[in-house]
Amino acid sequence: MKNSLQKRRLDRGWSQQHLADELGVSRQTIISIERGRFDPSLPLAFRLAEVFECRIEELFDPRPEDTEPS
C-alpha cells in the first residue's frame, strides 16, 4: 500500500528508530511500512495518524501502486 510515512517522518526530522520508539514497534516494522512491504494493523495505522496529526486516509492510499490519483 502506498503511503506518505517516510516523507512525513523526514519532514519532522525523525529517524526510523525515533518513530519506532514513539510507536512501540521495531525499526524493521517502520522500514517495511515505508517500503510498502507491510500494511500496518488498524490500531497501528490509527497510532501513526495520531503521531502525525492527520487522518489515516492522508497517510495511506489503498489503490494499487500503478494507479494514479484522480
Side-chain angles (χ1 to χ4, degrees):
M1 180 179 330
K2 293 188 291 186
N3 66 74
S4 63
L5 187 60
Q6 183 177 26
K7 180 187 180 324
R8 289 173 184 270
R9 177 180 59 76
L10 292 173
D11 285 349
R12 291 184 179 218
W14 292 352
S15 67
Q16 290 169 329
Q17 187 63 58
H18 176 87
L19 180 56
D21 292 344
E22 287 284 321
L23 298 167
V25 299
S26 71
R27 183 173 151 267
Q28 284 302 117
T29 297
I30 300 302
I31 291 169
S32 295
I33 294 170
E34 286 185 353
R35 293 183 178 169
R37 293 187 196 153
F38 173 72
D39 294 336
S41 65
L42 194 53
L44 179 53
F46 274 109
R47 290 197 334 253
L48 282 162
E50 183 179 335
V51 165
F52 289 110
E53 300 171 335
C54 66
R55 296 172 38 149
I56 291 174
E57 296 89 344
E58 295 174 78
L59 278 177
F60 298 97
D61 183 352
R63 291 177 292 208
E65 293 282 335
D66 58 351
T67 305
E68 291 296 319
S70 42

